[in-house]
Amino acid sequence: MMKSHPTRYSRLPLARPLLRPLLRPLLRPLLRPLLPALSLALSACAFAPDSKPPATASPPQYGVEAPPPQGATAQGVAQQFEQGARPVPEWWKRYGSDALNALVQEGLANSPNLAAAERNLAGAREQLRAQVNSSLLPSVDAGASGTRNRALTMPDLPESTALYNVFTGQIQATYDLDLFGAARFANASLAAQVEQQAFRLESARRSLAGNIVTGAITSASLAERVALTEKQVVLLRQVARDTQRRYELGSASQNDALDADQDAATLEASLPGLRAQWQATRHALAVLLGRRPDQAPDDLAFSTLAVPPQVPVVVPSELLASRPDILVADAVVQAASADVGVATAQLFPSLSLSASMGKGGFSWPAALSGAGSIWAIGASLTQPIFHGGALLAERRAAKERYEAAVLQYKQTVLTAFQDVADTLARLDADGQALASAEASRRAAEQSYRNTASRVRLGALAPYTEYAAEQHYVAARLRELEYANARLTETAALFQAMGSPTRAPEVAAGQR
């Protein structure tokens, strides 16, 4: 359940004027008529809503049922659900496969998508640095010019025109005082946008690792599944041939022979699609690693993949600081809050200072002499009066976007809780299903061995051994399916827990 978000506002003090002794004679006539209005505005106007995300009540558990302390024992492992544990940084190493670790490291190092995201983030940081420096520091430019001019003279003078040269060289400085925080809010908005990119990069990095792990597990499972299905087809074909011979000898009906042929043909028809799925998975895994599809890595041995015995279950309150998608939504709220501050500050006066000094004259010697010294200093104050309601509309639009960002943050938190709850439920169900499938496979295996022994002793017909082995292979396929599901759902749970808390690298002081 979400708590209501109280809207709090920050008030901005006036910036201290630079070069006060020099500029006081200029600024006093400009500011004196506006001081009462400015004081009233600063005391009554709210510049920006609180940039902190709304408080979220932590539920006692993620789903309608609390996860058990440990899952069902299957294939010798009963997974422990570590309540209150911290997220695991390199969680894929818990599968105990050096080959899998190597694939993940290769993908993280060579993925073009990840490299592009890193470049975009680096560019965004430089853009932020440029905006911060341009808003906080004065701009200084040097310039020089030389012109030759032709001007009209008085009509009664003997010369009807005058030709003269003008040479100037000067240094100009301008500085916009951030009286009402427009620049500061704009910097905070851009910094929050850079934060969003940083958290999205972290999310992309973890998603890439998760996709590689899932792809490698699925490809290894499909390779095993193709081999078992091929063996199952061979057995069904042998059963069909034996049934056909029995039909010819009169010990089986024609329908039995036709049914056996149909079972074999139906299963064999599924093989091409299964092989295509396997190849597509290998191709996708190669692309995730930054390779061409024809350079897909060899499949891992499915039997070498050990399901992690411990999986973390982060408490809901800490999930808010570990899930990159929630942190992105948090940064969106911060940016929206700063945008409201920018729109509000645009309603108030803006003050710009300028100064220049240099040399000028009608010839270079005159310009470079003491008589050619020129300088200027000034201040410009602008107060918006009438813009057809555009500025007020922009502020209202910014406030609506802020409220939308707050609501989207709440929805992101709810979706994250649902993701964890669903993954925990599926993982627990996969463990129970795998335990049952394992028991079924053991029973089918023992039945096959018993049948094979009786066939060798002559107590049963040979075709019964093929049928028993076919049931055993089918049981192995079911067990493989649930084992693959438990391995991949474990990866999904690691992903759902997020990353260990760490702040993205954004320009210092721009939060």
Side-chain angles (χ1 to χ4, degrees):
M1 180 177 179
M2 299 290 186
K3 293 182 179 179
S4 60
H5 175 46
T7 304
R8 297 192 297 269
Y9 295 92
S10 57
R11 296 171 181 170
L12 301 177
L14 287 172
R16 290 185 177 182
L18 300 178
L19 305 176
R20 178 174 295 176
L22 184 61
L23 298 178
R24 183 177 294 141
L26 290 172
L27 298 180
R28 184 176 296 164
L30 293 173
L31 295 179
R32 183 179 295 145
L34 296 177
L35 286 179
L38 295 180
S39 177
L40 178 62
L42 286 174
S43 63
C45 181
F47 276 76
D50 193 354
S51 62
K52 294 181 180 180
T56 304
S58 298
Q61 60 194 34
Y62 287 103
V64 292
E65 296 181 1
Q70 69 177 31
T73 302
Q75 296 182 337
V77 177
Q79 285 187 306
Q80 305 289 327
F81 296 100
E82 298 180 310
Q83 300 290 338
R86 304 286 296 173
V88 181
E90 297 180 331
W91 52 266
W92 52 87
K93 293 184 177 179
R94 294 198 173 187
Y95 283 87
S97 172
D98 293 337
L100 180 62
N101 297 339
L103 291 178
V104 174
Q105 294 303 323
E106 179 182 350
L108 293 177
N110 299 332
S111 170
N113 282 339
L114 201 60
E118 291 173 348
R119 294 284 185 172
N120 288 333
L121 177 60
R125 286 172 176 160
E126 292 301 324
Q127 185 65 37
L128 174 62
R129 184 175 291 108
Q131 177 170 308
V132 170
N133 291 342
S134 65
S135 63
L136 297 182
L137 301 175
S139 59
V140 180
D141 300 291
S145 66
T147 61
R148 182 169 178 78
N149 301 276
R150 180 180 184 274
L152 298 177
T153 62
M154 298 298 293
D156 295 336
L157 295 179
E159 294 291 338
S160 60
T161 60
L163 298 176
Y164 61 95
N165 301 324
V166 177
F167 301 95
T168 58
Q170 59 183 344
I171 296 177
Q172 298 177 333
T174 58
Y175 181 65
D176 296 328
L177 273 70
D178 192 22
L179 294 178
F180 298 96
R184 182 172 68 85
F185 281 124
N187 294 339
S189 176
L190 185 57
Q193 296 174 40
V194 175
E195 272 193 340
Q196 295 173 39
Q197 288 190 252
F199 288 127
R200 287 193 177 101
L201 174 60
E202 180 64 22
S203 178
R205 184 179 289 113
R206 288 183 64 83
S207 295
L208 176 62
N211 290 336
I212 291 174
V213 171
T214 301
I217 293 173
T218 303
S219 182
S221 171
L222 286 171
E224 190 81 8
R225 186 177 171 186
V226 167
L228 289 174
T229 303
E230 289 173 344
K231 184 175 182 180
Q232 195 176 25
V233 168
V234 171
L235 292 171
L236 285 176
R237 282 299 179 192
Q238 186 62 45
V239 170
R241 284 193 294 270
D242 288 349
T243 306
Q244 179 64 29
R245 284 196 293 268
R246 289 168 54 221
Y247 164 66
E248 294 171 355
L249 295 174
S251 61
S253 66
Q254 185 180 23
N255 285 341
D256 291 338
L258 293 175
D259 288 343
D261 280 336
Q262 181 183 5
D263 291 342
T266 300
L267 185 60
E268 191 171 12
S270 68
L271 265 175
L274 188 60
R275 292 194 185 99
Q277 182 184 357
W278 174 35
Q279 292 174 5
T281 303
R282 295 188 64 194
H283 296 161
L285 179 59
V287 173
L288 290 174
L289 299 177
R291 304 184 188 183
R292 299 193 311 267
D294 62 302
Q295 298 174 328
D298 295 333
D299 286 309
L300 305 176
F302 191 79
S303 59
T304 63
L305 297 172
V307 64
Q310 288 91 24
V311 289
V313 180
V314 179
V315 296
S317 59
E318 292 188 7
L319 191 73
L320 304 181
S322 63
R323 290 264 304 205
D325 54 343
I326 297 179
L327 296 175
V328 168
D330 183 352
V332 170
V333 173
Q334 295 177 33
S337 171
D339 289 340
V340 175
V342 173
T344 304
Q346 290 176 349
L347 299 172
F348 294 92
S350 60
L351 178 62
S352 178
L353 307 179
S354 62
S356 65
M357 62 180 297
K359 295 284 188 176
F362 296 104
S363 66
W364 275 117
L368 297 177
S369 66
S373 297
I374 57 176
W375 63 271
I377 186 170
S380 174
L381 181 68
T382 302
Q383 168 62 51
I385 296 178
F386 178 74
H387 288 258
L391 297 181
L392 292 174
E394 289 176 1
R395 184 173 185 271
R396 290 193 298 269
K399 292 174 68 176
E400 293 296 335
R401 288 192 294 269
Y402 168 78
E403 296 297 336
V406 170
L407 294 173
Q408 188 59 49
Y409 175 86
K410 294 179 179 179
Q411 183 61 49
T412 303
V413 172
L414 293 176
T415 303
F417 288 168
Q418 179 188 0
D419 182 24
V420 175
D422 292 346
T423 306
L424 284 170
R426 287 195 302 267
L427 184 55
D428 185 38
D430 289 337
Q432 297 178 30
L434 179 57
S436 299
E438 183 184 18
S440 175
R441 187 264 305 163
R442 287 176 178 172
E445 182 179 11
Q446 187 61 44
S447 175
Y448 162 62
R449 290 177 178 175
N450 293 340
T451 301
S453 298
R454 297 179 67 186
V455 168
R456 285 193 296 270
L457 295 174
L460 293 175
Y463 73 88
T464 58
E465 180 178 355
Y466 298 128
E469 186 176 5
Q470 189 274 330
H471 289 304
Y472 164 57
V473 173
R476 287 182 60 188
L477 281 169
R478 288 192 296 271
E479 182 183 19
L480 176 65
E481 177 185 354
Y482 291 117
N484 174 72
R486 185 163 75 151
L487 287 169
T488 54
E489 286 297 340
T490 300
L493 183 60
F494 278 117
Q495 286 288 92
M497 291 298 104
S499 307
T501 305
R502 64 185 182 91
E505 298 177 4
V506 186
Q510 294 308 310
R511 178 63 182 264

